[in-house]
Amino acid sequence: MPHLSVNPSSKPNCSTVWLISVLLGLLAVHTNANDVLTVPQQVSLSTNMDSQQLSISWVAGAATTFDLMILRTELNESVFYETVSVMVSQLSGRHEWNWTSVEPLQCTSLSIKVRSREGQSTSEWSNTEILQGSDLPSEEEWQMFPLDRVVPVGANTTFCCIVKEGEQFGTINYGNTVMNTTRLSRRSYATTVVNQGLSRTSGTNVICYNSFKELKIGAVLFVGYPPLLSDFVCETHDLTSAVCLWNERNTNLNTKTRGTRHMLNNRTFTLSWSRNPKKECRVDHWEGNWTLVAVNPLGQYSLTDSAELSHRVTPVAPENLTSVAHAMNATVLWQWKYDGYSSLALVCQVELTSQGYKTNHTFSGVDLRAVVLPDLYPYEDYSVQVRCGAQQNFWKWGSWSETMSFKSSSIVPEAPDMWVWMNKDYTGQVFWKPLTRRQSRGLMTGYEVTLWSPGESLQHTDILPPDTFAVPVNLTLMATASSDNMVMATVTAKNTEGVSLPASVLIHLRLTDTDPRAVSQAVYTDSGFSLFWQSDVNTTCAYVVEWHNASCKWNCPVDWIKVAPGNTNVSIESANFQPGVRYNFSLYSSSSEAPELLQRWQGYMQELVPSSPVLSLLTTQEDSDILLTWGHIPLVNRRGFLLGYNIYISSGSQLTLLANLSDPGSRSYTVKGLSEGSYKFTVKAYTSAGEDTGATASIMLEPFTDWLILEILASLGVTALFLVIVTFLCYKKRKWVKKAFYPDIPEPKLPGDWSRSQAPLDVKPPHHSLVHMVERPEWDSSKEALVVIPEEDEDEDGQGIGDELVDTDEPTSLRYYNQVVDERPIRPRYPDSSDSSASSLDSARTDVTYTGIHTSGSSFVFQLDPQGSSEGHQPQADPSFCAGGGGGYRPQMQSRVPSDDTGSASPNPFPEPQAASGYKPQSSWQMDSPVDDGEGRSRASSLGSPTSIASTLFLLPDGEDHTEEKRQPSSSSAATWLTNLLSSTKP
């Protein structure tokens, strides 16, 4: 026995133990895997080239999941690689799986191998099985697949072209389309046609070209439908055999090899090809149950039907139709093809056609072979056809017979539809409507029109040809001879069979129209002019609606329609209605008496814009206004109901609306407040369809001459009135006016005889230095004298000199001539109202005071020439003098400038006191006395100007008072004159 020794100091090797354990585990797992995942064995391949299906089978124990790989052998490209679940077939004990290729299986060689799979574990790949393609080097020629393929509409088909050894591939064309291609192997190329539509009946060509565009090989593709049947039914015509009918879809596959094959109750029959979807098959005996089957390369379809023979009877079409025609009816006869119909109860339908209209009549009976058609129109052409069906268990109508024609007999015509149009002068027209073919009832030969007076023996008849439908009439003779003012008009029609009944209208010779305001507006709709009215109890026969063109007033062609008496509305439609034409509609009651007018309408089928503008557009100036006037638009040109007028003013090419006149009766419009210038106005009438083109008128607005003339005349009138008033007042106040404007100027008193020749006059001054002029109405004009007025004599105003100091020294004697050289008129400029100035205007003489200015205040008095003194300036008296202020009379005279031969001017021998102011006449008055040395000049210088004592105001103020007193004379004198005028009493 061996001895086992144990050394306690020895230790085990752990790493070695761990490595051994891992190796043992991996070995165990590997051993288990090899036991479960068996490598597939006995892989075999089978193909169906038409369906492009590859069947693969193998043996792999109990495994159910496999990886399947299919490669293109030559290019080693994967075509299919998937994990599939395949069960063991109970019949063969093998795993079988089918794969359908997109490309035909002949296009290239395929390599197939399989391995088992369990989760992530797989077996080894099986041995590779190769499906040989047609692109092997041994097959050197051009090839194409598939050939003559039949596919359904919408399918996708892949074609491949195998190129001949040594040549180059070009293109693949589907019809006329060049397709995109994919290379499958060294010589094989493929293309796919997707969603294919119906091909031609002969198919679509798929052609393969080489690189030189040469056609090398091709195939034909047929695209169609599988069979589809409907409405399958079997029936009998002869009560023995059967006829089966159905509808079938056109499959587009019509050749013998690809067309549809049919079987009825498992008996094959052939149908001739037709595009008609209705198909039928005849069987000699009725079987009761029927099965129809249709098959083609894309599929099959079947239908069944069953029925009893008596329920499927469809009679054939009647044969040999004949007729016996009369005026109002006709008898139609026919025959049957089968004798069995002699005992069959039938229902037959007869279709009668006349003038395009069809009517159906139904008849029934056993062995029905003849029928009578009632209610025919005389002298009418008819056509008829017949079909029948079984009266019991009616299935459907049989076929129509052939059409048979006949014509009904003729009789006398119907009475024509007549009407009368009367003018205002007993003339008019009788109308009647042409008889239709049905109304004429035969061949027309003419018409007869008769006019006769019911109360008299007057009658007139006209015979007219058949193509005449109106005749003019003149009832003047009958109107004068008839006592009841009634004339009857009758019309009869004639054909070959005789004369119709008369149509008549009673004409009242005293026709009256209704009030024009009763005319209503008719509206046109899709059904025509719709007219409505109130029922009239006097209408016993009918209403008559007459219409004609409204623009016609004499012998108008009218149309009319008769309406039953119970109706109160009608729609009028006529092919003669035209757009833009106004029509008048009149409603008459028809009874045994003359027609009575009840109502009127007017209307347009369609309103249009007026075809012409307003007539005679005129412009008239009225001061600053312009009056536009225009005429009417003729009725024929209105083409619609006028709604009003639009007034425009033209500014360049633009029209500006001034006014819209909504009254169609307007004929004028006034444009107000215009300034001078040129204006253009346009007037446009409008209807519901729009405006017309417009009428235009221009005017130049001139200055307002009429108004200016009126103003001038008014001014002249006012002036004349004022002058009349002034004249009247002046006449009434003539004495005052004479006193105010033309007072009597007192004549100077010249004592002594002045009729002698002129000579120097020695004047000695009086004892007073002031001389006053007094009025002497009684002065004798034949005497001229210069008198001295004493100081005590005061003027009529009581303004005396008073206690004024005077110079008592006698002045040097002055030489005076009684003729004044200055003959300028002296007019009274500022009349006074004092008594002294109120003397008579008849006096031509005035006493003039000449005041000599001396240092002592002496005065001199001279006589003036009476003629010169009557028209002199009227001076004013100095107020300071009248008040006795100490100032003397200071004549406003300027000494004559001495001439060159007299030497220097002498100083004034009578210097004026600067403080004193006095009367200064407005003249440069000079004495025309002889100038004798220095004495003469001194006396001439000292003489004053002539003046009237009527003057009481200063004419020219002196010194610093000059400016202020200039403003007073006009206002004070005017005020004084107005006061005297208004306050003076009547003389």
Side-chain angles (χ1 to χ4, degrees), residues 113-142:
K113 53 185 179 180
V114 184
R115 69 180 179 183
S116 301
R117 174 178 287 278
E118 183 68 29
Q120 298 299 323
S121 301
T122 59
S123 69
E124 296 290 337
W125 287 104
S126 67
N127 294 328
T128 299
E129 292 293 327
I130 297 177
L131 178 65
Q132 298 294 335
S134 298
D135 59 346
L136 297 175
S138 59
E139 299 184 20
E140 299 180 353
E141 298 300 325
W142 289 88

Side-chain angles (χ1 to χ4, degrees), residues 462-480:
D462 286 331
I463 299 177
L464 303 168
D467 57 350
T468 302
F469 310 108
V471 60
V473 296
N474 191 333
L475 305 180
T476 304
L477 180 60
M478 290 187 175
T480 56

